[in-house]
Each structure stands twice: as structure tokens, then as C-alpha cells.
Amino acid sequence: MMMIVYVALGVVLGFVLLILLVWFWLKWKFRNFAARFAEEFASAMAQMGGMAPPLRIDLEPMQEADWSDGDKADSITETLIELGYEPDGLFEAYAPLQIEIQGFRNSQSSSFAALYEIKQMDRLCLDLVADLSDGTHITVSNAEDKGLDHPQFSKLIRLDHLDLSEPEQVREMHARLLEELQGETTVDLTGQKFEDNFESFWAREMDWRMERGGVTTEEVIRISARNGEPEPSEEEIELAKRPWKQQIDNFITDQIRKDYLNNTNMSGKEWEETLDRLVIVHEYSEASHLIDTLTDTICYESDLDDEDDDDEEDPYLKAEQELNQIFRSEVCVMNAFHRALDLLPPDRKYTLQTTTESPWKSEIYLSPKYYDEY
């Protein structure tokens, strides 16, 4: 796997952990002051959905790169060309940090190269990657270790002591790749392009991370230690992991919804009406999202009631608390959802439409129609 995803994720996680560290210190320091501000800040930190890399990525072509050290980039490029690597596209991407990538392809060694820079870091990195016929791949990289785990199908040789300031260092990386490829059968690159190969690499890595539920507790603790920060609390760890969980939930839900609608014979009008009423639950669903959906359904009539009664308990808050208790008591989010369905009023029950087992275990429901056509 190209190391770009690890570098970007490591930087983002380090930033998130630093912000959380500052936040929890402020929360302790001013625990008797500005409680309302504290709650709003905590809510904002919990909703950092943009602080996780996309699960699929599209490389956007560029006309000219804006390297922090153009002379070094030119020297690296010239050396790679001497070694048989042909330029194969200049791109930018957001993951979620801005990255500039110069792709290369080497037909002689059946390998790709990626010269890249994360704009917030201003450090040129180089990855040399070769696919093997057994489905694994080998990567030689000078990117720094960010403390993240790697899948079994990826063999990584890290040469992070090389700053690529001399052509000999690029040659050393290439020689190491050739050494690792001895006795191995590589995939023929005929007809393959860097862009397609990179996006495929990214998708496979993200699929592996989805199966793990995003970043792990151990990875968060490891990154915090590498950044010289104290070990994060359980609450900080969960907040750092939440953007990943939200990203995974949204991605899987969107895929299931698209597949269902594409395979259902409906008119355009029926399609539009059904889209807003679908309730999808799967093995990676975020409990908070399902709780919000269920609470809205349970309290629909209460939301329409304009009368305020200070003597009565807020029905929305009551339903939300009851649902939170259910979801906290179940290890499996789908089991919790099944129990929560019993709380729906008789006239607002969800109707099960279909279930799936692959690629994700899921259930698709249709919520009641709350409005009349005019």
C-alpha cells in the first residue's frame, strides 16, 4: 500500500488528539464556568466528520505542482526517469489534507512510484510499490512511521532516514525494491495506469480499515505517545475514533441505499418518495444516528404540538434517554435496533423491506408516510 494514507491519517489523528488534550484541560480548568459553552464545544468535537480520510478517493489532474522544494522534486524526478520510471500523471487529492502526487510507472520492474507532499507538512515523500501475483504488494517508502497498523497483504520497508536530498538515496530505494522482488512474480502492468492503480490501492486499504471499525484504541494511544502527549482517556479515544465510525456508517448506508433503489422497480415519483422514508441499519451503523431517527419517529406528533407545558417532561428527551439505555446495553447495534422498534407507536411502525448478508449484513425498513398528498 502506498504510504500516503498512513501519513495523512497520522497527521490528522495527531491534530485531533492535540485539540482534545487542550479541550479536556480547559474543561477541567473551567469546570465551574461557562458550562453551556463546554457542552457546545464537546458536541462540536464529537461531530468532526471531516477529520477522517474518504473511504474512496478520486485523483484530480493538475497542470503544475507547487512543491515546497521544487529543485529537490526535479532531482528526484530525473533520477526516477533514469531508473526506468516514466511520469504517469500529476494529481491532487484531499484526504482530508491536501496532497499533491506525481505518479510514475516502471514497466521494467513492474512497479509504480508516487512522489507526494502533504501541504501541511512540506516534506517530500517517495513510495515505490509493486503488486505480486499472490494478491500482496511490497512498498519501499521514506515516509515517517506514524504508529498505524498495516494489513497482512502489505509488506512495508521503511527507509525514513532518507530525506531524498541526493540522487543516491532514490537509487538506494529502487535497489531495495528490486532486492525484495527477487524470486517473486509481479503483476504485468501492461495497460495499467497510475491513477487507476492508486485508487484501487486506496479502496482496498479502506475496506480493510472498515472491517476493523476504523482506527483502533491501540493506534490512538500509539500516535499520542509518538507525539509526546500523555495517554488519552477513554473519552478522548472515543472522540478521536468517532469521525471514522461516522464516515464508515455513511459510506455503507449510501452503498446499501443505492443498491436497493437500483434493484427496485419504481417510478420516478415513487423513488423520490421512498428515498426520504428509508431507514437502513447495518452491522457498522452508528448508534447516535439511529437514536436520532427513532426519536424523531416516536415524537413526531409532539413536534407538531405548539402548546408548552412546563409541568410535563420533554417527550423527546424522555425517548432519547430510553433509547440510549437500550443501545448502551447491547453489544450488537442491530440487536439494539430490534429492541428499540418496540418503542414505536402502533401507527408509526417501520415496515421491513428486505435484508442483505453481503457485502454487509443489513436491514432496510420503510418508515410511515407522515404527510398527505395535495
Side-chain angles (χ1 to χ4, degrees), residues 46 58 104 112 118 193 208 264 285 310 335 341 373:
D58 293 318
F104 299 85
F112 287 99
I118 296 177
K193 295 183 178 180
W208 175 75
T264 303
S285 290
D310 295 335
N335 289 343
L341 290 178
E373 295 185 30

Side-chain angles (χ1 to χ4, degrees), residues 280-292:
I280 298 171
V281 57
H282 52 80
E283 52 195 324
Y284 295 103
S285 290
E286 263 282 85
S288 59
H289 173 71
L290 295 176
I291 290 172
D292 288 343

Side-chain angles (χ1 to χ4, degrees), residues 1-2 6 136-139 150-156 205:
M1 173 62 197
M2 295 184 183
Y6 295 98
T136 63
H137 53 258
I138 297 175
T139 302
H150 302 278
Q152 293 182 345
F153 55 78
S154 175
K155 180 179 181 180
L156 171 65
E205 167 72 17

Side-chain angles (χ1 to χ4, degrees), residues 26-311:
L26 289 172
K27 184 179 179 182
W28 173 82
K29 187 73 173 178
F30 302 104
R31 55 192 180 279
N32 295 321
F33 177 72
R36 182 176 179 182
F37 168 77
E39 292 177 1
E40 292 175 352
F41 189 90
S43 177
M45 290 302 300
Q47 299 299 323
M48 292 186 299
M51 301 306 288
L55 301 180
R56 295 294 183 266
I57 197 167
D58 293 318
L59 297 183
E60 298 294 334
M62 294 180 66
Q63 294 297 321
E64 184 177 354
D66 182 25
W67 306 115
S68 61
D69 190 336
D71 291 339
K72 179 188 284 190
D74 290 342
S75 174
I76 296 170
T77 298
E78 291 173 3
T79 306
L80 287 172
I81 292 175
E82 292 174 4
L83 294 170
Y85 292 89
E86 300 176 357
D88 196 19
L90 178 64
F91 309 94
E92 66 177 342
Y94 294 86
L97 306 175
Q98 182 183 0
I99 307 172
E100 293 184 358
I101 310 166
Q102 173 65 65
F104 299 85
R105 186 167 66 99
N106 190 328
S107 300
Q108 300 173 14
S109 59
S110 295
S111 60
F112 287 99
L115 175 63
Y116 59 95
E117 183 174 63
I118 296 177
K119 303 311 294 180
Q120 288 79 356
M121 292 181 61
D122 289 339
R123 181 178 187 270
L124 286 167
C125 294
L126 178 64
D127 294 346
L128 307 181
V129 185
D131 284 337
L132 304 183
S133 59
D134 61 1
T136 63
H137 53 258
I138 297 175
T139 302
V140 177
S141 176
N142 78 318
E144 296 177 350
D145 185 3
K146 294 298 181 181
L148 295 168
D149 297 332
H150 302 278
Q152 293 182 345
F153 55 78
S154 175
K155 180 179 181 180
L156 171 65
I157 295 91
R158 194 186 301 279
L159 303 178
D160 53 5
H161 62 285
L162 303 179
D163 64 3
L164 308 179
S165 58
E166 300 294 336
E168 288 74 16
Q169 296 182 355
V170 179
R171 297 190 183 100
E172 179 181 343
M173 292 182 64
H174 178 66
R176 181 59 185 274
L177 177 64
L178 295 181
E179 179 183 338
E180 294 292 332
L181 291 178
Q182 289 183 5
E184 302 285 357
T185 303
T186 56
V187 174
D188 185 7
L189 298 186
T190 302
Q192 292 197 32
K193 295 183 178 180
F194 174 86
E195 180 180 3
D196 297 335
N197 195 275
F198 180 89
E199 292 175 355
S200 177
F201 266 131
W202 189 282
R204 188 181 183 190
E205 167 72 17
M206 291 298 107
D207 286 346
W208 175 75
R209 288 209 164 267
M210 276 195 285
E211 292 177 1
R212 290 158 54 96
V215 293
T216 65
T217 296
E218 293 74 17
E219 286 177 313
V220 174
I221 293 174
R222 202 181 303 138
I223 290 173
S224 183
R226 287 181 182 275
N227 291 338
E229 299 164 3
E231 183 170 322
S233 65
E234 290 185 9
E235 187 176 1
E236 289 173 306
I237 291 172
E238 288 306 310
L239 284 174
K241 292 162 64 175
R242 184 171 295 181
W244 266 96
K245 293 181 179 180
Q246 293 173 334
Q247 191 90 304
I248 292 171
D249 181 11
N250 292 337
F251 175 82
I252 294 177
T253 299
D254 287 344
Q255 294 300 310
I256 294 172
R257 182 187 297 110
K258 289 177 182 177
D259 290 344
Y260 173 74
L261 293 174
N262 288 338
N263 291 292
T264 303
N265 186 20
M266 292 186 292
S267 65
K269 184 177 181 180
E270 291 174 326
W271 193 92
E272 291 181 3
E273 178 188 308
T274 302
L275 181 63
D276 293 334
R277 295 170 56 198
L278 287 180
V279 178
I280 298 171
V281 57
H282 52 80
E283 52 195 324
Y284 295 103
S285 290
E286 263 282 85
S288 59
H289 173 71
L290 295 176
I291 290 172
D292 288 343
T293 300
L294 289 162
T295 304
D296 287 341
T297 303
I298 294 171
C299 301
Y300 175 73
E301 290 184 352
S302 299
D303 292 339
L304 298 179
D305 189 356
D306 294 330
E307 296 182 4
D308 294 327
D309 190 343
D310 295 335
D311 295 332

